[in-house]
């Protein structure tokens, strides 16, 4: 929910000459490709990191200190906007061609949702003062360039956080005493709140200008109308954390009733049992739900908890203060810097621990029973990764009387856990017998204990193999698709449309049901469900999700080969375009990945006796590309 951004810009009077007249900057993927095929970076220690800054006069390569809020240790101009040429860099190693593409993919993969998008859409990006420079140079802009308006709006929004807790990263530049970083439990002063509101209002107004220029303009969360909604809800959230409910409600009241927003909310909330806990992950599965509950009073019984926000001390402090839901971690504990992350450290010999109860795990982290002994911090460690929540079937039957449930919910940890992971586990452990618990997407820690029910995943003590959807799971998903789904696809011509990841989620559901019936030998039923999916997505220009492969396979095996061929050839063409014209909004593909997926499409067709000249042509083009 919070991004980490930066920028720099041009004086307004020079915009027509400089901004529109100069040569286009190379894209972020182009810069990565040029750098990692020419150089490699070997840090002196693990706190060093390399970042790329898109500034007014060109692209810079920065070596930063991650332990000091990405403060710059060295900086070199890599590509100059003055002459449109690359510059040689010093103190760099020669490129390692064997690892170059992996490094490029690492940078694009790690930042695809935020940084990559910022580099693509913002005139300057990737350094501490980007928002201030953007506002200084473009704040009086009155034109209609869509990406410039989006970049300016994002700058206003990012700059507003400098008067709070720096949710989007960056550091105090020392020019404004009101920008001293607040402590996690500090409540901002009225003067700070006034500045936050000033820049949030400018952000919303600028996004509204963008919407007026191009209602169909696509952002990371959906069209420009969706972005206006999300930014207004962002203002609502910020004012709640500032403990100013009056201003929060003023932002909520700005939002007119909208069918798409309510549909998005109902698609999630309608699947919850009464008094449920619903863990969400991003903007589009959180803001519409808040709006539906707090403005339209729909399903107010459900406690919606964003997993990013419960890792952010100011929000967690508010959540704890409101006392809507009990959990054991104290404010003093989660406000402690040592609680930000914990790491796995196995015990050996007789002390080796293979499993631990969820309650005991939470307690050892809260008490820092096994502190790290490294030179940097004394954060908590945990001695095993397999965490068990043992349930009492009699007590749990009040939450679910589903047949065949067991008495164990298993959690499999990684090498690190963060504040939000611990708080999530604490909430689950505390409320397992009082509230049904759901997620809006798969939660990797609970792969063996999640039952898909439409768009939701319910946490249950399951006993069977959850890699194959159960009859109960498929039945509930069918009910959702037939009775509760309100389509809000990205290709609909609505005032507000969500990003196409919602499209992908719905296609996944149809594929799950169709695959289930095909595996049972019920070809006619499988084919009907596959065709239901096609009826939604058989739309020119629609970006086809990867579940198209599953749907097409079902079509091929149920005798609908022409429709399958059409879908798969359209998907292959889209994959090739994503490789040729990379965009931070869509899934990024390198040459090898594009070739792999198109070969998979070709194989699916050939395995079912269908030949495609188009896929062969696309593979030839890929092979010929440098």
């Amino acid at each position: 929910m919070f991004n980490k951004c930066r920028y720099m810009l041009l004086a307004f009077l020079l915009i027509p000459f400089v901004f529109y007249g100069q040569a286009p900057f190379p894209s972020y993927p182009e810069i990565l490709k040029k750098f990692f095929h020419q150089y490699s970076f070997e840090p002196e220690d693990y706190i060093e990191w390399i970042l790329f800054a898109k500034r007014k006069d060109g692209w810079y390569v920065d070596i930063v200190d991650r332990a000091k809020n990405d403060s710059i240790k060295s900086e070199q101009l890599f590509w100059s906007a003055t002459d449109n040429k690359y510059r040689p860099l010093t103190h760099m190693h020669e490129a390692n061609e064997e690892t170059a593409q992996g490094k490029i993919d690492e940078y694009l993969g790690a930042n695809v949702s935020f940084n990559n998008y910022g580099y693509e859409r913002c005139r300057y990006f990737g350094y501490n003062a980007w928002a201030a420079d953007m506002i200084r140079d473009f704040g009086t802009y009155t034109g209609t360039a869509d990406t410039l308006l989006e970049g300016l709006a994002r700058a206003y929004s990012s700059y507003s956080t400098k008067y709070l807790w720096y949710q989007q990263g960056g550091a105090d530049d020392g020019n404004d005493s009101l920008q001293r970083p607040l402590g996690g439990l500090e409540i901002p002063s009225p003067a700070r709140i006034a500045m936050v509101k000033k820049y949030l209002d400018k952000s919303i107004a600028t996004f509204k200008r963008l919407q007026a220029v191009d209602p169909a303009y696509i952002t990371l969360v959906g069209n420009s109308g969706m972005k206006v909604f999300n930014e207004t809800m962002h203002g609502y959230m910020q004012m709640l954390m500032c403990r100013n409910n009056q201003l929060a409600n003023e932002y909520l009241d700005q939002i007119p009733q909208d069918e798409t927003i309510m549909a998005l909310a109902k698609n999630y909330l309608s699947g919850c049992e009464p008094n449920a806990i619903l863990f969400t992950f991003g903007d589009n599965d959180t803001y519409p739900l808040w709006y539906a509950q707090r403005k339209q009073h729909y399903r107010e019984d459900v406690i919606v908890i964003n997993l990013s926000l419960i890792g952010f001390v100011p929000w967690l402090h508010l959540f704890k203060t409101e006392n809507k839901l009990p959990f054991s971690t104290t404010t003093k504990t989660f406000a402690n810097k040592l609680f930000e992350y914990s790491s796995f450290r196995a015990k050996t010999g007789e002390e080796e621990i293979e499993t631990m109860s969820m309650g005991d795990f939470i307690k050892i982290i809260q008490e820092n029973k096994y502190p790290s002994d490294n030179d940097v911090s004394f954060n908590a460690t945990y001695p095993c990764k397999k965490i068990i929540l043992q349930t009492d079937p009699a007590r749990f039957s009040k939450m679910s009387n589903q047949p065949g449930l067991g008495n164990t919910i298993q959690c499999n940890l990684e090498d690190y856990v963060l504040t939000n992971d611990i708080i999530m586990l604490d909430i689950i452990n505390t409320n397992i017998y009082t509230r049904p618990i759901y997620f809006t997407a798969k939660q990797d820690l609970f792969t063996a204990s999640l039952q898909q029910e439409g768009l939701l995943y319910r946490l249950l003590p399951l006993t069977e193999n959850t890699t194959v959807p159960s009859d109960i799971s498929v039945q509930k998903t069918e009910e959702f698709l037939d009775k509760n789904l309100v389509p809000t696809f990205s290709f609909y011509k609505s005032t507000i449309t969500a990003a196409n990841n919602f499209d992908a989620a719905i296609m996944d559901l149809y594929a799950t049901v169709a695959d289930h019936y095909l595996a049972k030998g019920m070809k006619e039923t499988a084919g009907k469900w596959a065709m239901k999916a096609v009826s939604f997505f058989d739309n020119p220009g629609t970006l086809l999700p990867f579940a198209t492969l599953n749907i097409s396979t079902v079509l091929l095996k149920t005798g609908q080969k022409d429709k399958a061929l059409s879908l798969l050839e359209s998907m292959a063409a889209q994959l090739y375009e994503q490789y040729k014209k990379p965009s931070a909004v869509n899934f990024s593909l390198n040459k090898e990945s594009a070739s792999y997926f198109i070969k998979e499409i070709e194989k699916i067709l050939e395995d079912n006796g269908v030949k495609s000249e188009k896929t062969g042509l696309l593979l030839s083009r890929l092979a010929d590309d440098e």
Side-chain angles (χ1 to χ4, degrees), residues 95 178 190 214 234 257 260 274 302 336 344-345 431 439 488 516 556 565 622:
L178 291 176
D214 185 0
H234 173 69
Q257 185 168 348
T260 300
V302 178
N336 190 324
F344 170 68
R345 186 177 64 183
N431 296 276
F439 296 85
T488 55
H516 175 79
L556 287 165
L565 176 62
L622 280 168

Side-chain angles (χ1 to χ4, degrees), residues 40 120 125 127 137 170 172 209 266 272 305 318 406 413-414 417-418 423 438 493 499 505 515 526 539 581 611 613:
S40 65
E120 179 181 288
F125 197 73
Y127 62 101
D137 292 340
D172 178 13
R209 286 171 59 193
K266 289 179 178 180
C272 294
I305 303 175
L318 173 65
L413 302 179
E414 302 290 343
V417 292
L418 304 177
I423 299 299
Y438 298 85
K493 302 300 181 183
D515 284 343
N539 190 315
K581 300 175 183 178
K611 181 71 175 177
E613 294 182 2

